[in-house]
Amino acid sequence: TPLILISLFTLIFGQIKYECKINDTYKIEVSNGGFLACGENIKIRKSDFGIFEKAIYSESSLCLIGISKIEAIRFDKNQAEFLIYHDGKMDSENPYNYKIENKNVW
């Protein structure tokens, strides 16, 4: 029973809703949040050898719902900056300007 419940939870709430490439090595993806999540989950993944992917950064506290597009403005060894387009229900700033300071993540 626990395995069935975990599988159903993963199928319902772990679906990738949006995905785009930042560059040849990194991509960003948006997936559904859980029961108590404020918004959707955003992950930056690094691909190795073209087959394997590793999640190097994850953010679930932005409270953004209905993300339709993410533009990478800046992505270098010190900082990443994105414009996140969403439906505007939880946050009035659209597009949302999101910055990440690199602390030995990528």
Side-chain angles (χ1 to χ4, degrees), residues 4-104:
I4 293 171
L5 292 175
I6 290 172
S7 299
L8 289 174
F9 180 79
T10 303
L11 284 173
I12 293 171
F13 294 107
Q15 295 177 349
I16 296 173
K17 296 176 76 176
Y18 177 78
E19 180 178 88
C20 73
K21 288 188 132 196
I22 299 171
N23 57 26
D24 292 336
T25 308
Y26 297 97
K27 72 177 182 178
I28 191 164
E29 67 182 30
V30 177
S31 61
N32 290 336
F35 287 118
L36 300 175
C38 180
E40 297 171 342
N41 298 330
I42 298 173
K43 291 182 184 176
I44 297 177
R45 295 189 174 268
K46 179 181 181 183
S47 63
D48 292 326
F49 306 113
I51 302 171
F52 305 108
E53 289 187 352
K54 178 182 177 184
I56 59 167
Y57 184 80
S58 180
E59 179 65 56
S60 60
S61 64
L62 290 180
C63 292
L64 299 176
I65 297 175
I67 296 174
S68 58
K69 182 179 176 183
I70 298 177
E71 289 181 13
I73 296 174
R74 178 180 176 190
F75 191 83
D76 57 24
K77 65 179 185 173
N78 297 323
Q79 186 180 30
E81 185 175 358
F82 301 100
L83 287 178
I84 303 173
Y85 296 89
H86 57 95
D87 64 1
K89 289 182 182 177
M90 299 293 280
D91 194 332
S92 61
E93 182 183 357
N94 198 5
Y96 184 79
N97 191 0
Y98 183 58
K99 293 181 184 179
I100 304 169
E101 295 291 329
N102 186 9
K103 296 178 183 168
N104 296 325

